[in-house]
Amino acid sequence: MYKKSIIASLMALAATSSFAATDSCGKVQIADMNWNSASLIANIDKFILEHGFDCDAELIPGDTMPTSTSMIEKSQPDIAPEMWTNAVQALIDRGVAEKRLSIAGRSLSDGGEEGFWVPKYMVDKDPSLATIEGIKKHAKEFPNPEDDSVSAFYGCPAGWGCQISSGNLFTALKLEEAGFELIDPGSSAGLSGSLSRAYEREESWFGYYWAPTAILGKYEMVKVDFGTGIDKDHYINCIAENSCLDPKVTMYPPSPVYTVTTMAFAKRAPLAYAYTAKRSFTNAKMNSLLAWMEDNQADGQYAAENFMLNNKDIWSKWVNKDIQTKIDGALENL
């Protein structure tokens, strides 16, 4: 479905290329998701679309589920720069089929990695903790800091697509029966903070996380093996669905991470859309950018400006020379 959508989108761009002179970007809303890589890309898009394509670009808050739904039902926002499509594949498929959404390209060229993780130092002491059976057997080694009578599993913040998948897998793995409590960390900062505090103190930690992230680049973590392999169909049709009544255990399949736009934007501004189709990051590059953000306590805007100033070799491949010149002029005024 996604490959066909990308091909169809590129064919549409080719068909409209002769009308480049009339490309009208206008006002563009960009979803600024509440995790660092997505916020960084959103701010990069804002800078390039404003200064290179003369768009009136605006960032609005976003989350996986509500943003996907809003793009289909209201055609807003125009762009979701980093959409982890495993969690919302049915929604995205419907949007593409109804010609409301377009898959521009891969925002993370290597795709995303998801799983349940424990610190490597715990596995070094007890290799069985690399398996879900070992985790359940030694549940008491993961006390809830708020109530040590139960064990702690850190899930996803409310509103994220992974809240559904991690919750369904928590049920499928019968972690509650093993003594675990599913903790909502409240935010991306809450989730990363819980892991960072535990790691710096060499304490226990067990929960959901994803890559590329500064956290998994900074701390050595081990992805827990469920012993089942990957059942992609069940993951898509049940684990990632709120209505899943009988979740079964499966490892997370690699997650395609795409830039998704409304079809209205793709048709209205084919040149700007073509940029979103080309703009992509490797996991290695994104890990380094995220580590820089964390080390410098940088927000998405500051990190985007730093990227634009220091990585022309990358972003210049996403736009033509005329656009490059306009962007260079904007960078000189920073």
Side-chain angles (χ1 to χ4, degrees), residues 37 63 65 165 196 218 239 242 313 323:
S37 58
D63 272 318
M65 296 297 291
S165 63
S196 296
K218 184 176 181 179
I239 296 299
N242 224 348
D313 59 318
I323 300 296

Side-chain angles (χ1 to χ4, degrees), residues 5-6 9-10 102-106 258-261 273-274 276-278:
S5 300
I6 293 170
S9 299
L10 293 176
S102 180
I103 310 299
R106 289 184 178 269
Y258 288 106
T259 296
V260 179
T261 79
Y273 175 86
T276 67
K278 291 180 181 177

Side-chain angles (χ1 to χ4, degrees), residues 63-77 83 88 91-92 94 100-101:
D63 272 318
T64 304
M65 296 297 291
T67 295
S68 303
T69 302
S70 179
M71 290 177 76
I72 293 172
E73 296 180 354
K74 301 177 182 178
S75 201
Q76 293 178 332
M83 185 67 76
V88 286
L91 264 179
I92 300 298
R94 177 165 69 87
R100 296 172 182 266
L101 298 181

Side-chain angles (χ1 to χ4, degrees), residues 249-272:
V249 182
T250 173
M251 297 292 285
Y252 281 90
S255 184
V257 185
Y258 288 106
T259 296
V260 179
T261 79
T262 61
M263 186 62 75
F265 170 75
K267 290 180 177 179
R268 182 180 80 245
L271 297 183

Side-chain angles (χ1 to χ4, degrees), residues 20-21 36 52-53 107-108 126 128 133 153-154 226 248 266-267 284 297 327 331-332:
N36 280 348
F53 294 89
S107 43
L108 298 177
D126 183 354
S128 76
E133 291 306 319
F153 171 81
Y154 292 89
F226 298 163
K248 296 179 174 57
K267 290 180 177 179
Q297 297 185 329
I327 293 172
L331 290 172
E332 289 177 1

Side-chain angles (χ1 to χ4, degrees), residues 164-209:
I164 296 172
S165 63
S166 61
N168 281 332
L169 285 172
F170 181 89
T171 299
L173 291 164
K174 299 181 178 179
L175 289 176
E176 185 173 5
E177 294 176 22
F180 283 94
E181 180 179 26
L182 176 56
I183 297 175
D184 180 349
S187 65
S188 174
L191 182 60
S192 62
S194 69
L195 195 159
S196 296
R197 284 191 299 273
Y199 210 99
E200 295 295 342
R201 300 168 182 172
E202 290 202 7
E203 295 174 347
S204 63
W205 191 90
F206 173 47
Y208 169 91
Y209 223 83

Side-chain angles (χ1 to χ4, degrees), residues 224-238:
V224 176
D225 187 354
F226 298 163
T228 59
I230 297 170
D231 184 341
K232 186 174 181 180
D233 288 340
H234 181 70
Y235 179 88
I236 292 170
N237 296 316
C238 192

